[in-house]
Amino acid sequence: MHSYGQSGFDVVALGVNGGISDGNLTAFFISPKGDDRGVMCDAGTLVNGVSVALQQDSFNSIIAPSSGQQASIGTIIKSHIKGYLISHSHLDHVAGLVIASVDDSKKPIYAFPSVIADLQDNYFNWRAWPNFADSGVEPTLKKYTYRALEEGKSLPLTNTSMQVTPFPLSHGGRLSTAFLIEHDNSALLCMGDTGADSIEKSDHLATLWQALAQRLEGKKLTGIIIESSYTNARPDNLLFGHLTPRLVIQSLQDFARINNKGQSLQGVKVLISHIKYSLDTGFSNKKVIKEQLNSANTLGVEFVIPTQGDYISFD
Ligand SMILES: [Zn+2]
Ligand SMILES: [Zn+2]
């Protein structure tokens, strides 16, 4: 059962860290409000994340009891995740998908062609793992259909009421992806790993903000999922294609400046992902990153740093 007409998105954080902790890597379940058919934005962790989220009842407001379906790890993964948006092929963004593929249902994987080539050549190749996809090393098991994305071109997300428009990001010289997900008049931007334009010697973020400012006229941007891997203490030459609170704020200010014709960013939810977990210190820098973001928050955005399994409402 799906009820329509609500605006905004439900998000469940299935994995929030940017490395090291294998059961808690970048992965966000995203569905339109009132509709239990969602997609994953990256899938570094899958089964572990769904398990933690279920223990916290985080899918309760997404899967209505009237649907007659008991929410379980299997039903979430097979019936409610209708596809995967993969920003880039680093392990911390795909490991959960690859490992769970044996028991998954048929669905599309959406990515830029070079990311699809990486998945095909490095994971689903009968050496690292059986080829569950529909191209590459034969025999192809055809569980996953690769859907090649084109920069700035919108595509409906099959079996959902959402559409996606991808934009390139520069991640230590490698291609990563920002996904603009839309449903009715609501939009949510889910960004993969990215460095800052000035450090990456790139204009991808500037181009993204420009494109969004145009596309979003008359639509409501409910939130942005963006990484801040390190604290401000990390020197620029050791960022390896990632952001810090200072660089996140700078980027959002760039967007606000370009977007001055549209809505302000006041009150927009900015979910911080991909904080690097350290075995040396035994903790992530979550607290420091939150303080650094909030103390420089001149835009009035609402920073959210989720814990694995959290439900976050974007409206
Ligand atoms: Zn990563
Ligand atoms: Zn990466």
Side-chain angles (χ1 to χ4, degrees):
M1 290 295 287
H2 310 293
S3 64
Y4 295 94
Q6 286 173 280
S7 62
F9 298 87
D10 292 319
V11 170
V12 181
L14 299 187
V16 300
N17 287 341
I20 310 294
S21 52
D22 52 53
N24 187 7
L25 301 170
T26 312
F28 296 96
F29 174 85
I30 300 171
S31 65
K33 285 214 174 287
D35 188 335
D36 58 16
R37 301 166 303 162
V39 291
M40 291 302 305
C41 181
D42 281 335
T45 286
L46 215 53
V47 169
N48 271 297
V50 172
S51 169
V52 172
L54 285 170
Q55 281 159 31
Q56 299 175 13
D57 294 332
S58 290
F59 282 100
N60 279 16
S61 51
I62 299 170
I63 300 165
S66 61
S67 68
Q69 229 176 5
Q70 187 75 35
S72 67
I73 298 175
T75 55
I76 303 287
I77 290 178
K78 291 185 197 201
S79 309
H80 296 280
I81 296 174
K82 301 294 190 187
Y84 299 96
L85 302 170
I86 300 298
S87 68
H88 65 301
S89 64
H90 280 159
L91 268 174
D92 55 322
H93 299 257
V94 299
L97 158 62
V98 174
I99 286 294
S101 56
V102 179
D103 264 5
D104 206 350
S105 55
K106 273 175 93 93
K107 63 194 67 163
I109 295 176
Y110 304 89
F112 278 135
S114 68
V115 177
I116 290 175
D118 283 346
L119 295 174
Q120 188 180 283
D121 298 345
N122 300 316
Y123 302 118
F124 294 125
N125 59 11
W126 289 108
R127 294 189 301 280
W129 208 247
N131 185 2
F132 285 106
D134 63 341
S135 66
V137 180
E138 297 285 345
T140 55
L141 299 172
K142 298 183 175 60
K143 181 178 280 194
Y144 298 124
T145 311
Y146 289 128
R147 303 287 300 275
L149 299 174
E150 272 178 64
E151 172 177 353
K153 207 177 154 201
S154 304
L155 201 73
L157 291 166
T158 304
N159 292 324
T160 80
S161 56
M162 300 177 285
Q163 59 167 349
V164 68
T165 314
F167 299 93
L169 296 172
S170 181
H171 172 37
R174 290 187 64 81
L175 176 80
S176 175
T177 315
F179 298 104
L180 182 70
I181 299 166
E182 290 167 288
H183 152 72
D184 286 343
N185 281 320
S186 307
L188 174 65
L189 182 70
C190 183
M191 299 171 70
D193 294 359
T194 183
D197 282 354
S198 56
I199 295 167
E200 294 279 318
K201 309 276 177 265
S202 156
D203 60 1
H204 282 333
L205 282 177
T207 307
L208 168 67
W209 302 137
Q210 201 82 52
L212 282 194
Q214 278 170 10
R215 283 194 67 93
L216 288 173
E217 277 186 61
K219 289 204 176 192
K220 186 175 185 209
L221 180 66
T222 60
I224 298 173
I225 299 175
I226 188 170
E227 70 136 283
S228 180
S229 296
Y230 303 107
T231 69
N232 287 338
R234 187 88 173 181
D236 286 359
N237 64 331
L238 293 178
L239 288 177
F240 309 117
H242 293 295
L243 297 175
T244 61
R246 179 178 63 85
L247 296 169
V248 167
I249 299 267
Q250 261 175 30
S251 279
L252 294 176
Q253 283 169 340
D254 289 345
F255 180 37
R257 209 170 305 122
I258 292 167
N259 195 35
N260 59 3
K261 272 198 296 185
Q263 61 178 318
S264 86
L265 291 181
Q266 186 79 37
V268 168
K269 222 169 241 187
V270 177
L271 189 156
I272 300 297
S273 71
H274 208 265
I275 294 177
K276 291 276 187 188
Y277 178 88
S278 161
L279 282 184
D280 298 328
T281 59
F283 59 89
S284 73
N285 289 308
K286 218 167 147 171
K287 200 167 158 248
V288 178
I289 286 175
K290 187 154 201 178
E291 281 162 10
Q292 292 179 344
L293 286 165
N294 283 332
S295 65
N297 184 4
T298 51
L299 294 161
V301 300
E302 182 193 342
F303 288 112
V304 176
I305 303 188
T307 300
Q308 183 176 38
D310 280 359
Y311 163 82
I312 305 108
S313 176
F314 285 87
D315 36 28

